[in-house]
Amino acid sequence: PLWLAANPQCLPFDPASGAEARAIAIAALQSLYVEGRHGFYYMALHDDPNDFTGPMSSLSANQALKGMYKVSELDTDIQQPRVRLLGAGLALREVISASRMLREDWGVASELWSCPSYTRLGRDANSAERWNRMHPGRLRRSSHLRDCLNTKDSPVIAVTGYAQHVADQIGAHITSRFVALGADSTESLPGEPTSGKTVDKHWIVTLAL
């Protein structure tokens, strides 16, 4: 994952459903073989059943290619504490379960986002930031990440089944409170007994609270 994130020729994706994988594959064929662009796509596919997000609209498919799209809105009760939960690949299943626990057990409303590519989100945000820095007198550019998340103040938790640094790529561009959670986030410290645990809904709920 570190090499994939660092390789500028690669667009890595971790789809959470068959619909996401289909949209990404079609876009890759269009980009590489029809438009003749250079580079390559990397897509992580899993043996586990992963069609738990439902069908995608054309708008959601387009936004998924940019790195993220909204799965569900925040509840309308403005009195409730709120949090925005992001998940990629199979980790999105734990995010959805955590959202249910937060709502039913703690009265916390959640906005859910699927993020097939934290890397693409981070690169796009970095590119917009660099352009704004180099062109201070021009109209500022935004990024897909900022358009999606920076209009509200609710905390953001980004979850990945890979190492934490994959989700951490977007942290510098989010203005509200942010925390990333990955497969190595709950590992034991050197010298401590190995817990054998990975990211699950309980860790997500704890961080949200």
Side-chain angles (χ1 to χ4, degrees), residues 1 91 158-167 180-188 195-200 203:
V159 185
T160 176
Y162 292 99
Q164 179 179 316
H165 70 79
V166 173
L181 189 61
D184 57 341
S185 302
T186 59
E187 287 183 350
S188 303
S195 64
K197 296 181 179 179
T198 57
V199 174
D200 64 15
W203 281 107

Side-chain angles (χ1 to χ4, degrees), residues 121-189:
L121 288 171
R123 288 178 184 171
D124 178 49
N126 286 337
S127 177
E129 185 179 71
R130 183 179 187 279
W131 193 94
N132 292 334
R133 184 169 59 248
M134 300 297 291
H135 304 84
R138 303 280 294 276
L139 183 66
R140 293 180 62 83
R141 289 184 179 178
S142 185
S143 64
H144 185 57
L145 177 66
R146 286 187 175 273
D147 292 341
C148 291
L149 295 182
N150 281 356
T151 58
K152 303 172 184 175
D153 294 328
S154 304
V156 175
I157 298 177
V159 185
T160 176
Y162 292 99
Q164 179 179 316
H165 70 79
V166 173
D168 256 331
Q169 295 177 91
I170 67 173
H173 304 284
I174 295 178
T175 56
S176 55
R177 295 184 64 184
F178 172 82
V179 63
L181 189 61
D184 57 341
S185 302
T186 59
E187 287 183 350
S188 303
L189 295 173

Side-chain angles (χ1 to χ4, degrees), residues 69-108:
Y69 69 98
K70 188 181 293 183
V71 176
S72 71
E73 295 277 356
L74 278 165
D75 293 337
T76 56
D77 185 358
I78 61 173
Q79 302 301 321
Q80 285 183 299
R82 301 181 176 197
V83 65
R84 289 171 289 177
L85 303 178
L86 284 52
L90 291 181
L92 183 61
R93 180 165 50 192
E94 295 298 319
V95 168
I96 294 173
S97 296
S99 172
R100 190 176 303 114
M101 287 183 63
L102 285 167
R103 182 182 68 252
E104 296 174 355
D105 299 339
W106 300 96
V108 176

Side-chain angles (χ1 to χ4, degrees), residues 101-123:
M101 287 183 63
L102 285 167
R103 182 182 68 252
E104 296 174 355
D105 299 339
W106 300 96
V108 176
S110 303
E111 184 179 82
L112 297 178
W113 294 81
S114 178
C115 297
S117 184
Y118 288 116
T119 298
R120 187 162 199 180
L121 288 171
R123 288 178 184 171

